[in-house]
């Protein structure tokens, strides 16, 4: 499959790109608003993989270019830019593509991090993104609770679960399958998109626990 990470130059995009490139044979593409930044990040990831004995080609470029022909498009962009990002690549999205949103709305004050819902039309960032998706292109929510720094550290084991939500059963199964191909990651079907707000709300809880406990850095979840 062709997996494109829009905004794959930082945070969750970097981690997913490295893990998929290391653990699978899927074609990995890195998209950025600045094509050169996409190219530079792809080369950086190739070098990191090469240093670990993995000779992989990672493609990089502009968002539109990297979207054309992609089977999976991960929208690894800040939550309140996600709708504008979808609109900007709509013409490049191929029939049969699946969008994935890992975005979580967060705000912070002196007491810690808390969940911030998107504009009034949606309860969650996942639903906000789904409402902007082109007709016939399913959007699935996944990877909301993964610690980005640990994900991008190929020397660190994961041993995490990711909760996957969506209204298109077939698309959701594809996302579950490619998630399970990352070593140490297990995808768990968490139902419909309507459940996404509760799942996104777990992320600030994990961040607050991590910041309050020095021995609990880079937390994720495991369903038992």
């Amino acid at each position: 499959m062709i997996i494109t990470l829009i905004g794959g130059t930082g945070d969750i995009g970097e981690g997913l790109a490295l893990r998929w490139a290391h653990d699978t044979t899927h074609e990995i593409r890195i998209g950025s608003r600045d094509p050169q930044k996409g190219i530079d990040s792809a080369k950086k990831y190739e070098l990191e993989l090469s240093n670990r004995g993995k000779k992989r080609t990672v493609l990089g470029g502009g968002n539109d270019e990297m979207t054309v022909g992609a089977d999976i498009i991960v929208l690894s962009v800040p939550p309140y830019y996600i709708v504008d990002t979808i609109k900007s690549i709509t013409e490049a999205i191929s029939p049969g593509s699946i969008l994935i949103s890992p975005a979580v709305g967060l705000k912070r004050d002196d007491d810690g991090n808390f969940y911030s819902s998107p504009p009034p039309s949606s309860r969650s960032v996942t639903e906000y993104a789904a409402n902007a998706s082109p007709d016939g292109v399913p959007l699935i929510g996944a990877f909301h609770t993964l610690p980005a720094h640990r994900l991008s550290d190929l020397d660190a084991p994961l041993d995490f679960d990711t909760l996957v939500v969506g209204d298109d059963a077939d698309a959701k199964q594809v996302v579950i399958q490619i998630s399970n191909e990352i070593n140490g990651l297990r995808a768990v079907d968490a139902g419909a998109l309507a459940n996404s707000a509760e799942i996104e709300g777990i992320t600030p809880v994990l961040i607050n626990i991590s910041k309050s406990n020095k021995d609990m850095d880079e937390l994720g979840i495991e369903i038992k």
Side-chain angles (χ1 to χ4, degrees):
M1 300 182 77
I2 299 174
I3 302 176
T4 291
L5 295 114
I6 300 295
T9 58
D11 292 339
I12 193 75
E14 176 179 356
L16 289 171
L18 286 170
R19 294 284 178 168
W20 270 319
H22 185 272
D23 296 343
T24 79
T25 58
H26 298 302
E27 179 179 312
I28 307 302
R29 299 178 180 178
I30 307 302
S32 174
R33 287 180 299 174
D34 178 351
Q36 189 59 50
K37 189 174 181 181
I39 292 169
D40 292 343
S41 292
K43 290 179 178 177
K44 172 188 168 185
Y45 302 159
E46 283 183 345
L47 179 60
E48 186 164 349
L49 291 160
S50 178
N51 290 338
R52 287 171 169 77
K54 284 281 185 177
K55 300 295 184 181
R56 289 296 312 272
T57 297
V58 180
L59 301 179
N63 284 338
D64 278 357
E65 178 189 5
M66 295 295 99
T67 295
V68 173
D71 300 293
I72 303 292
I73 303 161
V74 183
L75 302 163
S76 48
V77 298
Y80 300 108
Y81 295 115
I82 198 165
V83 166
D84 287 341
T85 299
I86 292 171
K87 290 178 179 179
S88 73
I89 63 172
T90 291
E91 295 301 318
I93 297 174
S94 303
S97 295
I98 299 170
L99 299 178
I100 301 177
S101 173
V104 174
L106 290 173
K107 287 189 178 180
R108 185 177 182 181
D109 61 19
D110 292 340
D111 294 321
N113 294 270
F114 58 95
Y115 182 66
S116 176
S117 62
S121 60
S122 305
R123 292 178 59 244
S124 69
V125 176
T126 307
E127 291 171 296
Y128 180 51
N131 290 336
S133 298
D135 290 342
V137 178
L139 183 137
I140 305 298
F143 313 127
H144 298 105
T145 58
L146 297 181
H149 291 144
R150 186 163 175 182
L151 189 66
S152 62
D153 181 359
L154 292 175
D155 294 323
L158 291 182
D159 298 325
F160 293 135
D161 292 331
T162 183
L163 302 177
V164 182
V165 292
D167 292 338
D168 185 307
D170 292 337
K172 185 162 54 172
Q173 285 305 310
V174 171
V175 174
I176 288 172
Q177 175 186 330
I178 63 170
S179 300
N180 286 336
E181 290 174 2
I182 295 176
N183 292 337
L185 185 63
R186 182 181 67 161
V188 178
D189 189 336
L193 283 176
N195 298 318
S196 55
E198 286 73 23
I199 292 169
E200 292 176 29
I202 298 172
T203 299
V205 175
L206 295 174
I207 295 173
N208 291 335
I209 293 172
S210 181
K211 290 186 177 297
S212 298
N213 297 271
K214 293 182 179 179
D215 60 338
M216 295 185 180
D217 191 28
E218 297 293 321
L219 295 179
I221 64 169
E222 183 180 7
I223 307 297
K224 290 186 175 180

